[in-house]
Amino acid sequence: MKSIRARLTLWYTSLLTVTLVLLGGTAYALLSYSLSHEVDAALNGVARSLTERAHGPSAFVPAEVDEAFRRFFGFSPWNRYFQLFDPLGHRDPRQPAPHSGRLPLSGEALNNAANGISTYETVPGSEEHPVRVLTMPVMEGGRMVNLVQVGMSLKSVLETRTRFLLIMAVLFPVGLVLAATGGLLLARRALRPVDRMAEAARRISAEHLAERIGGTGAGDELDRLASTLNEMLGRLDTAFTQVRRFSADASHELQTPLTILKGELEVALRSPRTPEEYQAVLKSALEEIDRIAHLVEGLLLLARAEAGVLRMDRRPVDLEQLAEEVYWRLKVLADSRSIRFDSELAEPVVVPGDRERLWRLLFNLVDNAIKYTRPGGVVRLSVRSADGTAVVDVSDSGPGIAAEDLEKIFLPFQRVPMTAPGTERGAGLGLSIARSIATAHGGRIQVRSFPGKGSTFSVYIPMSPEAPS
C-alpha cells in the first residue's frame, strides 16, 4: 500500500464498486417498479374489458376471459384468476369455473367498490407465489351492480427479478476484477514517467547538477513537474557554483596573508634578532592579522546577509552626520594621494537603521572611489533627500567601469580590470558588503559609469516617517 499504483488502483476499484452497487440497486428498483406497473396496467385493461361484458345477462365463457388476458398481457397466463361477485360479495352465477382456484374478497376491496373505487392487492395464491389482484366495481346508474376481480400470479415477475440479481452477482465481481486489472495497468503506464524522473533525480548529485530530468513531452502535469524540478536544479547549480567560487576565492584571499605571516615568523626564528628586528616582524605580522580579521569579518557579514540573519540595531541615524565622519576619516587618505575630496552635506537626513552598518557602507564606497581615482582627480560625497528617500551619492573621476562589468562588481571577490596605474587592490568584498547593508535596510545601490570619465554610486534608503527632510 506504500505504492501509489496500489493506492490508485484501490481507490479506483472502491469508487467503481460503490458506483456499481448504486447503479445496480437503482436498476433493480426501476426493474421492479416497471414490472409491477406493467402487471397493474394489464390487469386494469383486462378488468375494464370484462366489466363491459358484465353488463350483459349472459354468462362468461372461459374463451372470453382467455382472450381478454391474451390481449393485454400478450399471452394467456396459466395462473390467471377471474371472479364475478354481486354487490354483497357473493359469487355471481355467470362466472365461469375457476381456472386456478378462488381468491378471497377482502372487506377493504368490497368497501372501496361500494364507493366506486378499484382496489389493487397482493394476496397469497394457491401455489407458493403471491397473486396480484385487482377488484373493480361495475357501476350502473351511479350504483354498483357487480364486482369484477382479476388476478395474475407474480411468479414470472419474481423469476425475472431473481434472474436479474443472478446476472448482477456474476457480472459484478468479473467487472471489478477487469476494472482493477485495467486500473493497475493504467496507473503503471501513467506513473512510468515518474519512475524515469526518480531514476534521473537519483543520479543527480552536487557534482552533477548540470543534468536535467526529462519530461513526457505531452505538456501535462508531469511535464510541469519536470520543468519545476529542472528550474530548481538550475538554481541549485548556480548556487553551488557561486559557493564553490566563493570558497575558492576566500581560500585564496586568506592564503596570501597567512603565507606572508608564516614566512615572516619562520625567518624571524631562524637566527637571533635584535629587539628592533623582532618589533618590525611583529608589526608586520600584526598588519597581516588585521588584514585576515578584516577579511573574515567581511565574509561573516556577507554570509549573515545572504542567510537573512544579519543583526540590525535599528535606530534613527543622521546620514549627514555619518557622512561627515566618513569624510574627515578618509580626507587624510585622499590628501596623501593628491586627490581632491569634496562634500555636499547641507541638511540632516534621518533614516531608521544600524549606525555601524551604515557607516561601513559609506566608508566602503568612499574608500573604493579614492582607490580607483588617479592623483589629481576628484571624489565627491553628497547626502540629500527626495520623495521620502535618503540618497547618498559617491562620485569619482576614475577610469570608470565597462557596461558589462557593472553587475559583476557587486559579487564577492570580483574586481574590474584596473586601468589606473598604481591602484591598490583589496579583497573585492567592499561593494558586496555595501550592497548587502543597503538591502538589509530596504534600500538599493545604483551605479552610473562612463569609461574614462568616472563613476557615481547612489545609495537609496527609505527615510523614517518622522524624520525631517
Side-chain angles (χ1 to χ4, degrees):
M1 292 307 298
K2 293 183 179 179
S3 168
I4 295 181
R5 294 188 186 92
R7 291 202 297 270
L8 285 177
T9 304
L10 178 61
W11 295 338
Y12 171 76
T13 307
S14 301
L15 181 61
L16 183 61
T17 301
V18 174
T19 303
L20 289 178
V21 169
L22 292 176
L23 289 178
T26 304
Y28 181 77
L30 292 176
L31 175 65
S32 299
Y33 172 80
S34 177
L35 292 174
S36 299
H37 181 73
E38 288 179 2
V39 170
D40 289 348
L43 288 176
N44 183 70
V46 172
R48 288 187 179 280
S49 176
L50 296 177
T51 297
E52 294 175 0
R53 175 70 178 77
H55 287 282
S58 58
F60 285 91
V61 295
E64 292 177 332
V65 177
D66 290 341
E67 177 62 26
F69 273 93
R70 185 178 295 108
R71 190 195 322 167
F72 290 98
F73 280 96
F75 62 96
S76 181
W78 176 253
N79 294 331
R80 60 176 175 76
Y81 297 84
F82 169 69
Q83 296 183 123
L84 186 63
F85 299 95
D86 62 17
L88 298 178
H90 300 129
R91 184 173 178 273
D92 193 297
R94 293 177 296 167
Q95 175 182 329
H99 183 272
S100 300
R102 298 181 181 275
L103 296 175
L105 178 62
S106 66
E108 180 184 359
L110 185 61
N111 293 332
N112 289 340
N115 296 319
I117 301 173
S118 300
T119 304
Y120 288 95
E121 297 174 294
T122 301
V123 299
S126 59
E127 300 180 359
E128 58 180 339
H129 302 288
V131 176
R132 186 66 170 171
V133 178
L134 169 61
T135 304
M136 179 178 289
V138 179
M139 307 300 292
E140 192 174 289
R143 64 185 184 87
M144 182 182 67
V145 296
N146 284 107
L147 285 173
V148 172
Q149 188 182 62
V150 294
M152 174 187 172
S153 173
L154 294 177
K155 178 180 179 181
S156 60
V157 173
L158 297 178
E159 289 177 348
T160 301
R161 283 196 258 178
T162 302
R163 284 194 298 270
F164 178 82
L165 291 176
L166 289 175
I167 293 173
M168 290 294 295
V170 172
L171 294 181
F172 186 79
V174 174
L176 283 183
V177 171
L178 293 178
T181 304
L184 181 60
L185 293 177
L186 287 176
R188 181 177 299 172
R189 181 175 180 182
L191 294 176
R192 190 173 297 132
V194 177
D195 291 334
R196 292 197 297 267
M197 293 167 61
E199 184 62 28
R202 193 177 294 112
R203 293 194 301 268
I204 297 174
S205 62
E207 290 74 24
H208 302 88
L209 287 175
E211 294 188 20
R212 291 296 179 266
I213 297 174
T216 62
D220 54 11
E221 291 83 355
L222 294 178
D223 260 356
R224 293 198 293 272
L225 175 62
S227 176
T228 302
L229 291 175
N230 287 333
E231 291 175 1
M232 179 189 69
L233 289 173
R235 293 192 296 270
L236 287 176
D237 190 18
T238 301
F240 269 83
T241 301
Q242 292 177 350
V243 168
R244 291 192 190 100
R245 184 171 60 246
F246 185 87
S247 300
D249 292 340
S251 300
H252 176 74
E253 294 295 336
L254 288 171
Q255 184 178 9
T256 301
L258 287 174
T259 302
I260 295 174
L261 180 60
K262 180 181 178 181
E264 291 180 344
L265 295 177
E266 288 177 347
V267 171
L269 293 175
R270 284 179 183 174
S271 59
R273 305 287 178 177
T274 63
E276 290 77 11
E277 290 175 333
Y278 280 124
Q279 186 176 7
V281 170
L282 292 175
K283 183 178 180 181
S284 177
L286 185 59
E287 292 176 354
E288 296 301 328
I289 291 175
D290 287 340
R291 182 181 175 186
I292 294 173
H294 184 74
L295 179 59
V296 171
E297 182 185 0
L299 292 174
L300 289 175
L301 190 148
L302 286 177
R304 293 190 184 114
E306 291 179 359
V309 294
L310 185 62
R311 294 183 60 182
M312 305 290 292
D313 183 17
R314 294 185 179 274
R315 296 181 181 179
V317 178
D318 187 351
L319 285 183
E320 185 271 339
Q321 181 181 0
L322 205 62
E324 186 174 2
E325 293 178 10
V326 172
Y327 172 80
W328 289 111
R329 175 73 178 271
L330 293 175
K331 182 73 166 61
V332 178
L333 177 62
D335 292 341
S336 66
R337 301 190 178 190
S338 301
I339 297 173
R340 195 180 78 196
F341 189 12
D342 297 334
S343 65
E344 298 179 8
L345 311 173
E347 57 185 6
V349 178
V350 179
V351 298
D354 189 305
R355 178 180 177 83
E356 181 180 352
R357 306 294 187 194
L358 291 173
W359 187 92
R360 184 164 187 175
L361 184 156
L362 300 181
F363 183 90
N364 286 355
L365 291 179
V366 176
D367 182 63
N368 193 71
I370 294 175
K371 286 181 179 179
Y372 282 88
T373 301
R374 299 182 181 89
V378 179
V379 173
R380 291 187 177 87
L381 171 64
S382 65
V383 178
R384 56 190 172 88
S385 61
D387 299 328
T389 302
V391 184
V392 179
D393 293 319
V394 178
S395 59
D396 61 67
S397 58
I401 306 169
E404 60 271 16
D405 294 326
L406 288 178
E407 281 300 319
K408 296 179 182 179
I409 60 175
F410 290 103
L411 298 177
F413 305 109
Q414 294 295 319
R415 308 181 186 87
V416 298
M418 293 190 308
T419 58
T423 302
E424 295 182 7
R425 302 180 66 177
L429 297 178
L431 293 180
S432 300
I433 293 173
R435 185 170 68 171
S436 297
I437 294 174
T439 302
H441 284 79
R444 59 188 174 89
I445 296 180
Q446 180 180 333
V447 57
R448 300 182 300 277
S449 183
F450 303 94
K453 296 183 179 180
S455 306
T456 298
F457 289 81
S458 298
V459 182
Y460 299 89
I461 298 178
M463 297 177 62
S464 174
E466 68 273 12
S469 59

